[in-house]
Amino acid sequence: MKKQRTELGTAVNTALSRSGSTQLELAGNLEQSPSYVSQVLRGKKRPSAQWVDLVADTLKLNEKQRHELHLKAARQLGFKL
């Protein structure tokens, strides 16, 4: 069964790919379980604004990229933007 990604999941995985990192490394850097990170990226868990900021900081994203992550997370939470 193929894992379904959300817009947020796709954006985070793209950023991970650009940085040469993996979801497993991201989870370790966030001090969270790989399962939890995967669930957020697949839309099974709800991302908080603080979580998105932590991911953006960890991946050293610029302000535009950070803003895009927040927009994607908000849409994942059901906000119509």
Side-chain angles (χ1 to χ4, degrees), residues 3-4 23 27 33-45 51:
K3 294 180 183 179
Q4 294 183 3
Q23 276 190 29
S33 74
S35 175
Y36 178 78
V37 171
S38 176
Q39 288 175 16
V40 171
L41 299 183
R42 290 183 291 121
K44 304 294 181 186
K45 297 278 185 185
W51 189 86

Side-chain angles (χ1 to χ4, degrees), residues 11-27:
V12 170
N13 281 306
T14 297
L16 284 168
S17 181
R18 286 183 183 145
S19 71
S21 297
T22 66
Q23 276 190 29
L24 184 61
E25 291 169 326
L26 176 64

Side-chain angles (χ1 to χ4, degrees), residues 29-77:
N29 290 332
L30 297 176
E31 297 181 355
Q32 297 174 341
S33 74
S35 175
Y36 178 78
V37 171
S38 176
Q39 288 175 16
V40 171
L41 299 183
R42 290 183 291 121
K44 304 294 181 186
K45 297 278 185 185
R46 297 170 61 93
S48 67
Q50 294 83 4
W51 189 86
V52 174
D53 279 333
L54 188 57
V55 169
D57 290 343
T58 300
L59 296 176
K60 297 178 175 61
L61 301 183
N62 64 38
E63 286 304 311
K64 181 179 179 186
Q65 294 166 320
R66 177 186 301 268
H67 181 73
E68 286 298 317
L69 276 190
H70 277 283
L71 288 176
K72 292 173 188 323
R75 282 196 290 271
Q76 185 169 315
L77 293 171

